[in-house]
Amino acid sequence: MDYPLIFDTAMEIGYQLAMSGAETYRIEESINRIMAAYGAKAEVFAIPNSMTATITTPDGESITRLRRIGFHGNDMDTVELYSNLSRQICTEKPAPDVAAKLVQEAATRRRRYTLPMLLVGNVIASIGFCLFFGGTAVDTIVAAACGLVIGIINHLSAKLHINNFFATMVSTFAMALTAYLLGSTGTNADAAIVAAIMALVPGLLFINAIRDIIFGDINSGINRLVHVILIAVAIGLGAAVARSLSISLVGPQPEITAQNYGPIIQCVAAFIGCLGFCILFNIHGIGSLLCALGGTLSWGVYLIAASFTDPVVGYLFGTVFAAFYSEAMARIRHFPAITYLVISVFPLLPGAGIYYTTSFLSDNNMEAFLEKGTETIAIAGLMAIGILIVSTIFRGTSVWKQMRHK
């Protein structure tokens, strides 16, 4: 048995999963299960920026590999591809050279949207969430321009390997300044900015942080949570600087009240916005429609719950539904639950809260700043609890089934 070759193959699968935005436990379990299928015991330790693994072969030989992990993408199609490949290798147990060839062939089957399509995804997401947050048809034009700005800057930042914190701050500043300058003509700049900011909110990082903590990967979970906080700070700084500059250039923004659309329009807008994010997260085919449907239904559950209880508590019910929906679809379609979860919770993410919190701070309105900031933190906390509850239930059920099988 060529253990070094099969070990390198397993590490490559783990590396591709990590670079595509997979959870820590998925990375570690994929390597562990592949090596166990070939009779070797593996010890894997993965954190967001590296992974280390050591295997012990049946004859007592130890082999260690270390891989550095760079900037994480949001490539759900690749997560599905390599997760399925990992299961295939564990089931079929091909010869090591055949398994290595399967991994090489998988790289040629990876599907990616082109740059123009990614820009279209930014525009669609911004238009959908602009309506979702009460913007008018005219406001969606400004939102589309903001989404386009973010898409272009994000592409250039990735090409130039610019630090994620700085890239997010620059994207937010350029997008918000565009909205403020165009908003001086009478459009609702706030609705356009909040809609475009959703593309910068680290939803996948937040979800992976919670799931890492649930599965006992505390170091990875805390690492990701710190990253989430830093990105939120970058968004706040970029928006605050743009707001201050726009006031000096064109004066204060006109006070425009957001439209109060009914539940049907909100759900339709959420579906459109989620479709845009399916493109940005590289989700293809029928899966994109199912993910967008999950976002629509989750928001519908929130609206129903908010009509019976406190609106903030409604986010808990919406998130619980999104998590159940994701786990159910993962088992029905045999794809990772994270693909469905990251899109299903997007309408619930407190992107608006981040923006308005920083806006109140830049206006020196400390009372409103504390109130909105506390509400935003509460929403994020309730969403984390919702994901925690459902993931724990399904994880416990899976472990119980394994114990009964043994």
Side-chain angles (χ1 to χ4, degrees), residues 165-176 180 193 197 200-202 228-244 350-363 369:
F165 178 87
F166 182 74
T168 301
M169 187 167 60
V170 171
S171 296
T172 306
F173 168 78
M175 172 273 298
Y180 286 134
I193 292 173
I197 275 179
L200 299 173
V201 173
V228 168
I229 294 171
L230 289 176
I231 295 300
V233 170
I235 292 173
L237 287 174
V241 173
R243 185 180 180 86
S244 299
I354 295 174
Y355 168 70
Y356 286 116
T357 298
T358 57
S359 295
F360 290 138
L361 179 61
S362 63
D363 292 339
F369 163 73

Side-chain angles (χ1 to χ4, degrees), residues 174-381:
M175 172 273 298
L177 185 61
T178 300
Y180 286 134
L181 295 178
L182 295 177
S184 63
T185 61
T187 56
N188 189 347
D190 286 343
I193 292 173
V194 171
I197 275 179
M198 295 298 287
L200 299 173
V201 173
L204 181 60
L205 268 175
F206 175 72
I207 293 171
N208 278 345
I210 302 305
R211 290 171 70 87
D212 282 351
I213 292 173
I214 291 169
F215 291 107
D217 299 308
I218 306 298
N219 289 334
S220 295
I222 293 176
N223 188 307
R224 295 183 197 273
L225 280 178
V226 171
H227 197 173
V228 168
I229 294 171
L230 289 176
I231 295 300
V233 170
I235 292 173
L237 287 174
V241 173
R243 185 180 180 86
S244 299
L245 181 58
S246 69
I247 291 175
S248 64
L249 294 175
V250 297
Q253 293 293 309
E255 293 289 339
I256 299 176
T257 304
Q259 301 294 313
N260 187 18
Y261 294 122
I264 294 178
I265 294 180
Q266 290 181 39
C267 289
V268 171
F271 183 83
I272 295 172
C274 288
L275 275 181
F277 280 109
C278 286
I279 297 175
L280 298 181
F281 281 80
N282 196 33
I283 302 172
H284 299 258
I286 189 66
S288 60
L289 296 178
L290 293 173
C291 289
L293 178 62
T296 303
L297 295 176
S298 299
W299 184 251
V301 171
Y302 162 77
L303 291 176
I304 294 172
S307 65
F308 291 100
T309 183
D310 185 274
V312 175
V313 178
Y315 285 92
L316 173 62
F317 291 93
T319 305
V320 167
F321 174 83
F324 266 111
Y325 177 85
S326 303
E327 295 288 351
M329 293 307 303
R331 283 154 179 76
I332 293 171
R333 303 197 69 230
H334 303 290
F335 288 142
I338 188 66
T339 302
Y340 300 96
L341 182 59
V342 69
I343 302 298
S344 296
V345 300
F346 247 102
L348 302 168
L349 291 175
I354 295 174
Y355 168 70
Y356 286 116
T357 298
T358 57
S359 295
F360 290 138
L361 179 61
S362 63
D363 292 339
N364 202 27
N365 187 347
M366 299 307 297
E367 182 178 352
F369 163 73
L370 292 174
E371 180 180 354
K372 180 57 71 173
T374 303
E375 179 184 297
T376 302
I377 294 173
I379 291 172

